Amino acid sequence: MQHPFTWHGLRRCTAVLPAGNILDGGTVTGALSSNATARSLIQQLPLTLSFRDYGGQEKIAELPEALPLDGVPAGDSAEPLTIGYYAPDQALVLYYESVGYSRGIVRIGSFDDLAAIRDQTSGFTARLAPAD
């Protein structure tokens, strides 16, 4: 079972990219899985998180609390549009490129707008909240 959620307020403060590539105050939607890690994240919502690019493959944000790893594999890989939790850094991760197997990656869901995440060329703040 997947739980819908919405990111509110994903913004860029400058117009460095063409307007079509900037999600200014828009919404990215996604779904979280039913594993213990995702359920714990749902319990923390709403959250406002500061994301930054990591390695030209993902956007990461530190979570205020660690998520449990009960019943999930010790590691995984991730495809574009995957929402993950990287346990060693206590980070929520939005993957926009494929990432090979790594110990500590836990898949917890998916999001629906690759370009909106990938094309953020600097850090951004997003509010993660349950969908209406």
Side-chain angles (χ1 to χ4, degrees):
M1 173 174 202
Q2 301 249 317
H3 301 279
F5 67 91
T6 305
W7 276 294
H8 299 284
L10 180 60
R11 321 177 172 271
R12 296 251 315 141
C13 59
T14 60
V16 175
L17 300 173
N21 289 335
I22 298 171
L23 184 63
D24 186 14
T27 300
V28 173
T29 59
L32 294 174
S33 65
S34 61
N35 65 36
T37 308
R39 286 193 314 268
S40 180
L41 178 62
I42 291 166
Q43 295 300 313
Q44 292 186 28
L45 300 180
L47 288 171
T48 299
L49 301 173
S50 296
F51 286 86
R52 63 182 172 82
D53 193 77
Y54 182 80
Q57 61 193 11
E58 60 203 52
K59 306 293 184 182
I60 63 171
E62 185 176 328
L63 290 169
E65 297 178 29
L67 303 178
L69 302 175
D70 304 332
V72 297
D76 210 336
S77 59
E79 297 302 317
L81 300 173
T82 297
I83 301 168
Y85 175 63
Y86 187 61
D89 291 343
Q90 193 176 308
L92 185 68
V93 185
L94 308 175
Y95 294 95
Y96 60 87
E97 295 290 343
S98 294
V99 175
Y101 178 89
S102 181
R103 189 168 181 83
I105 292 176
V106 178
R107 290 184 192 212
I108 61 172
S110 62
F111 62 96
D112 69 354
D113 192 341
L114 183 69
I117 300 302
R118 180 194 61 220
D119 295 346
Q120 298 297 314
T121 57
S122 62
F124 62 92
T125 298
R127 182 172 185 269
L128 182 63
D132 297 331

